[in-house]
């Protein structure tokens, strides 16, 4: 009886994982396909990776995407950290729950709506004050900052909430002025959360297609946009190769962020007791 | 161990009883101090004088305002009304980082990202002390709290007791005029508590720093303090030495807070020359007790007697000046060194008696349902009017 239920559980588990990851593995396998037809196996080859390296359009798009991701992740981390600090520090005031909820709203907002509203904002700003004069990498970066900032704020805020306030009070008691206390105590302690936030913001920006499509102008094409337009003309092994590379980068980012959070959780939960 | 050179304001630890000497200037003065949080009054118009070198304890249950009082002394809470003077200087509006006061937090609040050494040096760095002096003062402190071998460890690798010593060293290295300690022993296990308690007292004795300790544990307060202030709902109920608050509690609350006490309802029969005669309710036994202050004939009072002040006998004791009542042993607990009896008296009240087992016997000296006489010296009766 026991044996049977565990067999059942294992098969459910493997089926679930297969459902999640089999398509990705198939895609990765076909990126090494020698054949031009995406569905026929023609032997192992890395020629599509070479073709990829010679494709200037894709390289430009990849560079642009990385650029936007790095800039927007950095700015989102700064702004999100400030937002998290403010929400955590302003004490109890009327409407605090509302503000906390509002900072998390972009996490559940449909991307189409976020993209559309930002597009409208940029267009009306252009009419009113003439900035941004055209849409492109700048507007995509701003758009990515607005939604990824929410993720950073939530991560930083939860780290601050679990932090012992008396650490800061102790530093102040020992003669640290408020600014010094923030630099000496608060920032070093929330640094892991900020790093996780940055990595998450970076991957989110790299992934995004919908918001970028709305806010990009004629010239700026990010990597997901290029892939999407290519796929509409038919799936080529070149796109498979590109997708494989993106999966590698993104999963690296997610793994790093997860490992980072796990590490700080462990450090918080079990301050290794007993001296050696 | 090296002895840090004290500042001019630091002399040897409190000797004698400065609070009884009207010429001694108090070191810490609270004048009409209040703190309100919205409509809730945490501390209500409190006056207090603490003298140099004292180990003063503020004792009370949770929510009595003791922590708020301590936080006002440290500068984390701004008083709603009243002044705080430390060594003659009004610090009421001074921020925490400028006050000549340091605090040891209940959670210790040791900085997890700094080594033991860096933790202790932090306050001196913020003060702008020269590097060479920081080194020597930190090393003095490491000696004092016996953490020299762990100087380069991060706090995460230390035990609770060691972290506490880091917190203590970190606060003391600043040579504060006053050290505030928030529940210093609460997080330690029983064995470590006793040890740390004596260590704290030794260090205080050596440095002569004025300590203000906040605690909810009456035993901790009794053993540590030169004086205890019992706090309740934002006000001081009684301030006195440990033996004063134990033996001469001013009311039922204080009497009950420090250990057990048997309370008898009584009616005043006679009150003259500081001696009260009262009739215990139910039994009609007459009790004599010392009490200053006016009492009217027929007034209802309560007489309190500590369990260890009671004598328990099978035979009627004939000692003069003793109050005697009879009862039946209802329950007993044998602890080896002492025994506790619960005796039901004639009036139906259960009286607790604690005795030292000064006789050696494998058998119990008293058994369940034994008829016994309880007696106590009239000087041990506490008159409680509130």
């Amino acid at each position: 009886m026991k044996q049977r239920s565990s067999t059942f559980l294992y098969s459910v588990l493997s089926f679930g994982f297969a459902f999640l990851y089999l398509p990705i593995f198939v895609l990765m396998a076909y990126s090494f396909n020698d054949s031009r037809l995406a569905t026929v196996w023609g032997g192992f080859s890395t020629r599509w990776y070479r073709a990829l390296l010679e494709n200037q359009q894709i390289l430009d798009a990849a560079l642009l995407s990385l650029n936007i991701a790095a800039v927007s992740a950095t700015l989102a981390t700064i702004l999100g950290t400030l937002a998290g600090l403010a929400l955590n520090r302003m004490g109890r005031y009327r409407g605090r729950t509302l503000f906390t909820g509002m900072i998390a709203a972009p996490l559940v907002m449909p991307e189409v709506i976020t993209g559309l509203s930002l597009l409208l904002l940029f267009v009306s700003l252009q009419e009113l004050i003439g900035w941004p004069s055209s849409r492109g990498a700048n507007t995509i970066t701003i758009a990515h900052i607005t939604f990824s900032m929410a993720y950073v704020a939530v991560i930083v805020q939860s780290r601050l909430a679990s932090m012992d306030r008396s650490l800061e009070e102790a530093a102040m008691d020992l003669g640290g002025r408020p600014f010094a206390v923030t630099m000496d105590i608060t920032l070093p302690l929330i640094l892991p959360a900020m790093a996780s936030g940055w990595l998450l913001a970076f991957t989110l920006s790299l992934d995004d297609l919908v918001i970028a499509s709305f806010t990009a102008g004629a010239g700026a094409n990010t990597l997901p946009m290029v892939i999407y337009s290519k796929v509409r003309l038919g799936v080529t092994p070149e796109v498979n190769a590109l997708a494989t590379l993106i999966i590698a980068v993104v999963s690296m980012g997610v793994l790093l962020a997860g490992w980072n959070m796990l590490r700080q959780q462990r450090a918080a939960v079990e301050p290794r007791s007993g001296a050696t | 161990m090296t002895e840090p050179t004290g500042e001019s304001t630091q002399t040897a630890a409190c000797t004698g009883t400065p609070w009884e000497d009207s010429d001694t200037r108090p070191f810490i003065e609270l004048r009409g101090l209040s703190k309100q949080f919205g409509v809730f009054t945490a501390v209500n118009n409190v006056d207090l004088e603490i003298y140099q070198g004292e180990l003063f304890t503020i004792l009370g249950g949770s929510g009595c305002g003791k922590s708020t009082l301590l936080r006002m002394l440290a500068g984390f809470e701004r008083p709603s009304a009243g002044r705080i003077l430390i060594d003659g200087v009004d610090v009421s509006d001074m921020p925490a980082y400028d006050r000549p006061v340091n605090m040891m937090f209940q959670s210790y609040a040791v900085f997890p990202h700094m080594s033991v050494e860096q933790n202790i040096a932090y306050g001196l760095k913020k003060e702008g002390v020269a590097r060479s002096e920081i080194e020597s003062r930190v090393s003095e402190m490491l000696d004092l709290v016996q953490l020299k071998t762990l100087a380069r460890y991060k706090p995460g690798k230390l035990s609770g007791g060691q972290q506490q010593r880091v917190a203590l060293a970190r606060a003391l290295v600043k040579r504060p005029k006053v050290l505030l300690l928030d529940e210093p022993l609460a997080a330690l296990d029983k064995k470590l508590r006793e040890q740390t308690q004596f260590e704290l007292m030794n260090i205080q004795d050596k440095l002569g720093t004025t300590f203000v300790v906040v605690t909810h544990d009456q035993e901790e307060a009794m053993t540590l303090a030169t004086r205890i202030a019992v706090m309740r709902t934002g006000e001081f109920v009684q301030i006195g030495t440990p033996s004063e608050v134990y033996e001469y509690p001013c009311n039922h609350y204080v009497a009950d807070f420090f250990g057990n006490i048997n309370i008898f309802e009584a009616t005043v029969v006679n009150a003259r020359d500081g001696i009260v005669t009262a009739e215990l309710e139910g039994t009609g036994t007459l009790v004599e007790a010392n009490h200053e202050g006016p009492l009217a004939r027929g007034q209802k009072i309560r007489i309190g007697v500590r369990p260890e002040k009671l004598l328990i006998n099978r035979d009627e004791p004939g000692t003069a000046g003793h109050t005697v009542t009879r009862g039946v042993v209802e329950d007993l607990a044998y602890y080896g060194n002492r025994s506790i009896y619960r005796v039901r008296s004639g009036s139906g009240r259960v009286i607790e008696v604690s005795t030292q087992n000064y006789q050696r016997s494998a058998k119990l000296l008293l058994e369940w349902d034994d008829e016994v006489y309880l007696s106590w010296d009239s000087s041990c009766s506490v008159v409680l009017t509130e």
Side-chain angles (χ1 to χ4, degrees), chain A:
Chain A
M1 185 66 194
K2 197 180 173 189
Q3 186 61 41
R4 196 182 298 169
S5 79
S6 102
T7 324
F8 173 72
L9 281 178
Y10 276 120
S11 50
V12 166
L13 191 71
S14 19
F15 186 78
F17 273 109
F19 188 73
L20 281 174
Y21 288 101
L22 212 55
I24 293 173
F25 286 128
V26 169
L27 179 143
M28 287 165 99
Y30 270 104
S31 74
F32 297 102
N33 188 1
D34 196 38
S35 166
R36 171 157 284 280
L37 291 164
T39 46
V40 181
W41 184 253
F44 180 85
S45 158
T46 54
R47 73 174 174 122
W48 300 114
Y49 288 88
R50 255 178 286 125
L52 203 62
L53 283 175
E54 283 154 17
N55 187 331
Q56 197 55 43
Q57 188 200 7
I58 284 180
L59 284 182
D60 284 348
L63 211 62
L64 181 72
S65 271
L66 286 175
N67 201 349
I68 289 173
V71 173
S72 69
T74 306
L75 289 172
T77 303
I78 294 169
L79 292 173
T81 302
L82 290 175
L85 275 170
L87 280 175
N88 186 260
R89 288 306 140 83
M90 298 224 324
R92 293 176 187 283
Y93 56 89
R94 204 176 272 271
R96 180 189 160 148
T97 325
L98 182 70
F99 279 113
T100 315
M102 274 168 71
I103 203 106
L107 309 186
V108 291
M109 189 79 76
E111 283 182 316
V112 182
I113 295 174
T114 312
L116 188 61
S117 62
L118 283 164
L119 173 64
L120 289 173
L121 174 79
F122 290 136
V123 170
S124 36
L125 268 179
Q126 191 180 4
E127 280 172 10
L128 279 172
I129 59 169
W131 184 93
S133 54
S134 66
R135 272 163 277 125
N138 285 342
T139 46
I140 299 174
T141 309
I142 293 170
H144 282 180
I145 291 169
T146 49
F147 82 86
S148 52
M149 185 186 117
Y151 287 86
V152 179
V154 168
I155 293 174
V156 168
Q157 200 195 351
S158 76
R159 172 73 187 126
L160 282 170
S162 69
M163 198 175 105
D164 184 5
R165 267 317 279 281
S166 54
L167 286 172
E168 287 167 343
E169 284 179 344
M172 202 174 281
D173 182 65
L174 292 167
R177 275 152 204 284
F179 181 71
V181 171
T182 308
M183 299 310 285
D184 297 342
I185 310 298
T186 318
L187 276 186
L189 291 179
I190 61 170
L191 205 62
M194 287 168 69
S196 305
W198 189 91
L199 285 167
L200 197 61
F202 186 84
T203 26
L204 283 171
S205 167
L206 216 55
D207 271 353
D208 171 66
L209 169 68
V210 179
I211 294 174
S213 306
F214 272 103
T215 52
N221 284 316
T222 63
L223 199 54
M225 287 162 77
V226 169
I227 296 170
Y228 187 66
S229 62
K230 273 183 166 303
V231 167
R232 282 204 297 196
L233 302 173
V235 182
T236 63
E238 206 176 353
V239 171
N240 284 349
L242 183 60
T244 306
L245 287 179
I246 292 174
I247 289 166
V249 172
V250 168
S251 51
M252 196 75 88
V254 171
L255 278 177
L256 266 176
W259 176 73
N260 204 346
M261 284 216 269
L262 199 73
R263 207 181 46 155
Q264 61 167 319
Q265 257 169 26
R266 279 218 188 115
V269 171
E270 38 175 289
R272 276 153 290 177
S273 54
T276 42

Side-chain angles (χ1 to χ4, degrees), chain B residues 68-125:
Chain B
T68 309
L69 191 69
L70 198 73
R71 290 174 61 79
M72 282 197 280
L73 272 168
F76 300 133
E77 303 284 355
R78 191 173 277 266
S80 306
R83 313 305 299 169
I84 301 169
L85 280 81
I86 295 175
D87 201 9
V89 180
D90 189 334
V91 299
S92 316
D93 298 318
M94 207 182 264
Y97 44 81
D98 285 333
R99 290 198 189 187
V101 166
N102 286 111
M103 178 148 160
M104 198 178 92
F105 289 78
Q106 186 176 4
S107 63
Y108 311 146
V110 178
F111 307 136
H113 58 298
M114 297 184 192
S115 69
V116 169
E117 230 171 12
Q118 288 167 327
N119 261 283
I120 299 175
Y122 183 80
L124 297 177
K125 273 186 195 149

Side-chain angles (χ1 to χ4, degrees), chain B residues 10-115:
Chain B
Q10 288 180 334
T11 55
C14 179
T15 49
T17 53
W19 48 89
E20 283 172 358
D21 185 354
S22 57
D23 291 340
T24 316
R25 188 171 59 106
F27 196 62
I28 305 172
E29 273 181 88
L30 309 184
R31 292 186 192 153
L33 200 65
S34 293
K35 178 69 190 177
Q36 264 117 24
F37 295 106
V39 289
F40 174 70
T41 305
V43 175
N44 188 12
N45 194 19
V46 155
D47 291 296
L48 181 64
E49 292 176 348
I50 299 173
Y51 293 86
Q52 175 135 43
E54 266 201 87
L55 206 165
F56 193 91
T57 300
I58 299 167
L59 176 70
S62 62
C64 73
K66 58 187 193 302
S67 293
T68 309
L69 191 69
L70 198 73
R71 290 174 61 79
M72 282 197 280
L73 272 168
F76 300 133
E77 303 284 355
R78 191 173 277 266
S80 306
R83 313 305 299 169
I84 301 169
L85 280 81
I86 295 175
D87 201 9
V89 180
D90 189 334
V91 299
S92 316
D93 298 318
M94 207 182 264
Y97 44 81
D98 285 333
R99 290 198 189 187
V101 166
N102 286 111
M103 178 148 160
M104 198 178 92
F105 289 78
Q106 186 176 4
S107 63
Y108 311 146
V110 178
F111 307 136
H113 58 298
M114 297 184 192
S115 69

